[in-house]
Amino acid sequence: MYRHLPKVFICSAPFKSHSFRRVRSRLSACVACLRWLSTSSLIGPDNVVRSNLPDINLPTNVPFHQFLFEKCDQYKNLVAVEDYLSGQKYSFGQLKEKSMRVASGLHRLGYCKGDVMAVYSCNQIDYTVLLLACAATGLWFSALNPSSTPDELRRHIVHSGSKAVFATPNCVASVSKALKLVKPQESQVKDLFVFGEAEGFRPFQTLLDDNGQMFPDVDINPVEDVFILPYSSGTTGLPKGVMLTHYNCLANCLQIASSIPTTPDDRALGLLPMFHIYGMVVVQLSVILGGASVVYLPKFVPETFLQCLQDKHISLAHLVPPLVLFLSKMPSVSQYNLKSLKRVICGAAPLGVEVTLELLKKLDHGITVNQAAGMTELSPVFTIDTTSTPGSAGHFVVNTLGKIVDTDTHEPLGTGGVGEICVKGPQIMKGYFKDKQTTDSIIDPDGWMHTGDIGHVSPDGLLYIQDRLKELIKYKGFAVAPAELEALLLGHPDVQDVAVLGVPSEECGELPKAFVVKKPGSKVQEHELVKYIEDRTAYINRLRGGVQFIADIPKSPSGKILRRVLRQTFL
């Protein structure tokens, strides 16, 4: 086996009476040899890459709530979730008890396995209660951005076939408007619940007050039965329901824990929105499985964010690049004592090397900054950096295989070869809801998920993400679908044709920008179209990159927008 090693790595000669310097040199060579052996073995002769950590046992016969309830018994008296602004908190024991009460209440109202619950809420501790109650009842938990417009809510309610809607008081008006837009034959909604009080909505407290005696005994097949139904734009187009099973979610939480272990000594920041898969699974569920507590914030307010990090002695912060940029550049950060913060994990979009180094320089008390890569369809994590290598998305997580394939031939590429990132593992979704054709287009017959991301793998098995094949725009870690904005703009009476691209932004990642062809004789102005979109979509979808008027939209013979040509010409 040694004939393939570089000569400097061959350590067959015994250490005799060498000088200290020569001994140290030889020892260094031996260490390098071992490191070379351990990392080079991550990439097989077929160019398939495995994790740098050994595989673990992932139970296929345990529903998610059952696994977590056992953790609740183990950490019964410790704080599981806490709301920073109100001070309200639940211990692990209370989290289990309240989840069982809500499950009983839902069962009492006639909800049963397979029913979909639509949830429009900011981060708060009863969110976690409802999530676990749905798991225990076999219900599908389907969340959407609470700032969504009534029309976006309508589409979600109709497409998901939701039987009940849960909302915070500030979302009640939008939900009511959305339901008025739903045709009678399309609606399956039986009940409306509110986390608080609102006219026409049943208080969530009525479920918390249930006596728990109708807690259901549901037969759940963890591998087949859906637990959560988040909506993602997938690799292209309008939002799609992503069916994630109990096994998908539990497997990914355990995979994450292998790279980012938590203990009861940890306090994690719960700022990233839980309607997003990153907040729901990574920030929330994977953390409490280790006995750590999550401190929730409903939204980003600079002073509150920093005060929470300081007051609650946060040790683990899951962030996105704009928040890392804030910590690294804002002078006010130095006014707070953040020495409790030990680990920063950044995901949802690539984090630049320069920003990483700036944060390490600013918070110089010994923190680590690591990246993770994921997508909703992968529950969501498939790589985590455990080596603190700036710019790298890390190694593939345990029980996961990866490969880079040529975008034209789909043949696997060797180290350094740039192509599409493909992933195989237990975290791959069951499929898109009501869309087998699109499911089959990104999960090949051999079980590989084609992510639509472009990157390469280094000789030591680290993944570097460079670009995206897919057309999605990443604004502050959120996916903005160009097709959705294009469809809206094409509804404007002065717009003849349009294409939307993401323009680079150091602070936000990308900003949606519209390239518009006016109808003949039109005098429409940029600000009018920006306002037109602002009035019709969620805040993340606004045209922050502006509008540029052009003569025509380049397209292929089949009518597909040639975004690469647009980008080369105008950006």
Side-chain angles (χ1 to χ4, degrees):
M1 64 177 287
Y2 298 113
R3 67 180 183 274
H4 301 295
L5 295 178
K7 290 182 179 180
V8 70
F9 288 163
I10 300 176
C11 316
S12 57
F15 295 149
K16 296 182 180 178
S17 57
H18 299 293
S19 67
F20 173 76
R21 181 177 299 175
R22 294 184 66 190
V23 170
R24 184 174 61 182
S25 175
R26 183 64 64 85
L27 286 172
S28 297
C30 288
V31 170
C33 173
L34 293 173
R35 185 180 295 119
W36 187 91
L37 285 170
S38 63
T39 58
S40 66
S41 62
L42 300 183
I43 305 173
D46 53 359
N47 290 318
V48 171
V49 189
R50 64 173 180 82
S51 175
N52 62 322
L53 301 174
D55 284 352
I56 61 173
N57 177 52
L58 299 174
T60 59
N61 60 345
V62 181
F64 191 93
H65 67 282
Q66 181 180 323
F67 193 93
L68 185 53
F69 283 172
E70 290 174 1
K71 298 295 181 180
C72 287
D73 293 337
Q74 181 180 350
Y75 304 115
K76 184 175 182 178
N77 297 319
L78 301 179
V79 174
V81 291
E82 177 179 354
D83 183 89
Y84 177 68
L85 296 181
S86 70
Q88 186 182 13
K89 61 184 70 174
Y90 293 152
S91 68
F92 278 89
Q94 289 173 320
L95 180 60
K96 177 182 177 180
E97 177 194 359
K98 291 178 183 295
S99 299
M100 294 180 71
R101 286 178 179 270
V102 172
S104 173
L106 290 171
H107 185 56
R108 192 185 301 277
L109 291 172
Y111 294 102
C112 57
K113 181 180 176 181
D115 287 345
V116 180
M117 305 288 106
V119 184
Y120 311 121
S121 172
C122 59
N123 294 6
Q124 43 97 9
I125 60 178
D126 284 329
Y127 198 107
T128 311
V129 171
L130 177 59
L131 181 64
L132 294 177
C134 287
T137 318
L139 306 176
W140 296 18
F141 184 98
S142 188
L144 200 68
N145 188 339
S147 70
S148 298
T149 64
D151 190 59
E152 289 168 330
L153 296 181
R154 177 203 62 79
R155 183 184 184 278
H156 178 242
I157 290 170
V158 171
H159 187 270
S160 65
S162 295
K163 298 289 183 67
V165 176
F166 295 78
T168 47
N170 62 322
C171 295
V172 163
S174 293
V175 171
S176 298
K177 290 178 182 178
L179 291 172
K180 290 179 181 178
L181 297 174
V182 177
K183 298 175 183 179
Q185 66 270 25
E186 293 178 326
S187 178
Q188 300 184 51
V189 175
K190 294 169 29 180
D191 292 292
L192 303 175
F193 295 90
V194 63
F195 296 103
E197 298 284 343
E199 185 178 353
F201 284 67
R202 186 193 300 259
F204 185 73
Q205 187 63 45
T206 61
L207 296 175
L208 290 169
D209 291 339
D210 189 271
N211 61 18
Q213 293 181 3
M214 289 195 67
F215 181 76
D217 181 13
V218 183
D219 182 18
I220 292 176
N221 180 340
V223 176
E224 293 296 330
D225 291 338
V226 174
F227 171 20
I228 59 177
L229 184 70
Y231 271 69
S232 164
S233 293
T235 56
T236 184
L238 295 172
K240 303 171 184 66
V242 177
M243 297 185 290
L244 299 178
T245 66
H246 286 249
Y247 176 62
N248 287 149
C249 296
L250 179 56
N252 203 229
C253 283
L254 296 176
Q255 290 172 308
I256 295 165
S258 292
S259 297
I260 315 172
T262 58
T263 72
D265 293 328
D266 282 309
R267 282 194 169 187
L269 179 69
L271 171 61
L272 301 184
M274 287 190 285
F275 66 80
H276 190 282
I277 191 68
Y278 187 5
M280 188 183 302
V281 173
V282 185
V283 176
Q284 177 188 213
L285 298 177
S286 74
V287 167
I288 59 179
L289 278 179
S293 63
V294 184
V295 182
Y296 292 137
L297 284 173
K299 62 180 180 179
F300 174 71
V301 177
E303 295 78 10
T304 307
F305 167 59
L306 294 170
Q307 198 72 46
C308 179
L309 289 175
Q310 174 183 275
D311 294 352
K312 291 301 175 179
H313 305 290
I314 299 298
S315 60
L316 171 63
H318 286 281
L319 304 176
V320 290
L323 292 174
V324 176
L325 188 66
F326 170 84
L327 285 175
S328 65
K329 291 187 178 294
M330 288 299 293
S332 59
V333 173
S334 59
Q335 299 172 17
Y336 295 82
N337 182 356
L338 304 184
K339 292 190 182 300
S340 63
L341 185 59
K342 303 300 181 187
R343 294 181 288 173
V344 170
I345 309 297
C346 188
L351 179 66
V353 174
E354 293 78 11
V355 177
T356 303
L357 296 177
E358 281 185 42
L359 182 60
L360 289 170
K361 183 178 179 180
K362 188 163 191 176
L363 301 181
D364 58 359
H365 59 270
I367 70 164
T368 59
V369 179
N370 304 92
Q371 289 195 67
M375 58 189 295
T376 305
E377 293 81 352
L378 287 167
S379 305
V381 176
F382 62 90
T383 68
I384 297 175
D385 173 31
T386 58
T387 62
S388 298
T389 304
S392 168
H395 291 98
F396 289 92
V397 294
V398 296
N399 300 69
T400 298
L401 299 176
K403 64 180 179 180
I404 309 297
V405 301
D406 185 277
T407 55
D408 294 321
T409 67
H410 302 295
E411 289 298 316
L413 302 174
T415 57
V418 177
E420 184 180 13
I421 302 164
C422 297
V423 178
K424 180 187 280 191
Q427 67 270 55
I428 292 179
M429 67 173 178
K430 182 175 182 177
Y432 289 123
F433 186 47
K434 301 178 182 177
D435 196 347
K436 186 177 185 302
Q437 181 178 354
T438 306
T439 301
D440 292 342
S441 71
I442 67 167
I443 303 176
D444 68 29
D446 294 323
W448 288 95
M449 165 75 77
H450 292 250
T451 67
D453 289 324
I454 296 293
H456 72 274
V457 173
S458 68
D460 52 2
L462 288 168
L463 178 68
Y464 291 81
I465 299 176
Q466 297 173 235
D467 207 337
R468 291 192 303 280
L469 274 177
K470 53 191 178 182
E471 300 165 352
L472 293 180
I473 298 165
K474 281 293 185 76
Y475 170 72
K476 291 188 175 181
F478 293 103
V480 178
E484 198 167 4
L485 295 179
E486 288 159 0
L488 286 172
L489 285 166
L490 287 171
H492 192 283
D494 290 302
V495 174
Q496 178 170 300
D497 205 355
V498 61
V500 175
L501 298 180
V503 296
S505 165
E506 181 180 83
E507 182 179 354
C508 302
E510 291 180 310
L511 301 175
K513 179 174 182 176
F515 295 85
V516 173
V517 178
K518 295 181 184 180
K519 287 188 176 178
S522 169
K523 296 182 180 180
V524 68
Q525 300 295 309
E526 176 181 9
H527 68 90
E528 294 175 80
L529 295 181
V530 170
K531 183 67 165 58
Y532 179 81
I533 290 295
E534 183 176 326
D535 291 341
R536 289 164 173 78
T537 190
Y539 78 98
I540 61 172
N541 293 331
R542 295 175 182 174
L543 294 174
R544 289 177 170 83
V547 174
Q548 182 172 342
F549 296 105
I550 59 177
D552 62 273
I553 303 295
K555 295 183 179 180
S556 69
S558 64
K560 184 177 180 181
I561 296 172
L562 298 175
R563 299 179 192 275
R564 183 181 300 177
V565 174
L566 263 179
R567 193 176 298 278
Q568 291 171 346
T569 306
F570 296 105
L571 297 181

